[in-house]
Amino acid sequence: MPITHPRRLLTAVTFLAAAASAPTAAAQQILEVDLSAGRTIIDDQWRSMGSIILAVDHDRGILYVNDAEEPEGIMAFSLATGERIRVLPAREGDGPHEFSQGHTGMTMGPAGRLYVSGLLRVIEFDSTGVPVSSWTPRAPTSKLVCNFGGQPAVPAQNGVIRRGPGGADEGIGPNVVNSHVLMARDREESSAISDRIWSARIACTDDAAYVATEYAESPDSVFVYHRSGEETRLPVPTEFTLDHLLLEVRCKGAP
């Protein structure tokens, strides 16, 4: 499938929503839906690429993406030419730099590093594609990952789990469950919570994590978990909750 590179991140549809505790407009946030397409960098009918599990290193001009050619690897392509640069190992297995059931998400970290998540583990690669660390967060699952202030973070029950600078897990959110075990009254509730965490989308800035959790058929709000421990919410207008839209959240003025 063709892979397009947006000319700007998130330019199509915007609306302002004040955070719950924000007394002034300076604390407003922007939720944006990207419906735009920029220039095509890869248009190869023989490639089968995932359109969700990808990351872009703008500073180095590299696109990281899943391709069926390398089912146990992550392919790196040049944004300038579309040529393949390298393949990062993402093997399925139980080794320290392997994924027990395959990899499911990725995002850029600082200094060209790449965080790749799987069911239980997040592996960090340096800017040359070499795995340098492995993190098993105290969360039920780690399908998707974000760069939260220079460290990887994943959705958890009632919050997010972030890898601290010293390696210890940080639970972010006033009621976050910092555990592999879900807190639920019965199996049915446990299954519902697990499904919401598994389907959650996450985006982060230096100071906050934004988590869109699906209830029924679409998200009804974006949960905002601040480094300070505060939790707020941003309502999602119903016209922005159609299936298959690519939702991403960023702070106003963020790059």
Side-chain angles (χ1 to χ4, degrees):
M1 60 175 289
I3 295 294
T4 58
H5 181 225
R7 300 181 189 277
R8 288 179 52 205
L9 288 178
L10 312 174
T11 57
V13 183
T14 68
F15 78 95
L16 292 176
S21 60
T24 66
Q28 287 180 324
Q29 308 294 329
I30 296 178
L31 171 67
E32 300 184 335
V33 181
D34 184 11
L35 303 178
S36 64
R39 64 181 178 84
T40 298
I41 61 171
I42 299 174
D43 190 359
D44 186 340
Q45 63 178 328
W46 300 107
R47 292 207 174 277
S48 177
M49 292 184 172
S51 59
I52 295 178
I53 307 177
L54 56 82
V56 179
D57 183 347
H58 292 281
D59 292 337
R60 292 159 186 79
I62 299 175
L63 167 71
Y64 294 99
V65 66
N66 276 6
D67 190 302
E69 181 182 344
E70 296 287 349
E72 291 195 330
I74 296 165
M75 300 186 74
F77 294 90
S78 166
L79 287 178
T81 66
E83 296 179 357
R84 186 172 72 172
I85 299 173
R86 66 176 73 96
V87 177
L88 284 64
R91 300 181 185 88
E92 192 168 323
D94 297 320
H97 293 132
E98 297 177 341
F99 300 95
S100 61
Q101 297 184 36
H103 58 289
T104 55
M106 67 178 83
T107 193
M108 294 307 305
R113 298 198 169 206
L114 182 71
Y115 301 134
V116 182
S117 57
L119 181 65
L120 301 173
R121 175 176 293 156
V122 175
I123 296 175
E124 179 180 0
F125 296 84
D126 68 13
S127 60
T128 66
V130 176
V132 293
S133 70
S134 178
W135 174 50
T136 302
R138 289 176 57 83
T141 180
S142 55
K143 180 180 181 181
L144 297 182
V145 61
C146 74
N147 174 13
F148 193 174
Q151 294 289 341
V154 300
Q157 186 177 1
N158 302 328
V160 300
I161 303 297
R162 176 180 181 268
R163 185 182 69 181
D169 287 6
E170 296 178 354
I172 310 292
N175 300 304
V176 64
V177 178
N178 190 348
S179 172
H180 297 291
V181 180
L182 293 171
M183 299 296 292
R185 291 169 294 185
D186 52 41
R187 181 173 297 181
E188 182 177 354
E189 183 182 37
S190 176
S191 178
I193 294 172
S194 179
D195 288 345
R196 287 201 298 269
I197 297 173
W198 178 253
S199 63
R201 297 297 183 89
I202 185 169
C204 296
T205 65
D206 285 343
D207 300 315
Y210 298 79
V211 180
T213 304
E214 294 184 5
Y215 289 83
E217 296 181 355
S218 59
D220 61 1
S221 61
V222 175
F223 295 83
V224 187
Y225 300 104
H226 303 267
R227 289 282 297 277
S228 62
E230 180 187 12
E231 175 189 329
T232 55
R233 294 191 187 188
L234 299 175
V236 178
T238 56
E239 62 267 30
F240 292 162
T241 60
L242 297 176
D243 290 342
H244 309 304
L245 287 182
L246 177 61
L247 295 179
E248 188 169 346
V249 184
R250 67 175 175 85
C251 282
K252 183 179 182 181

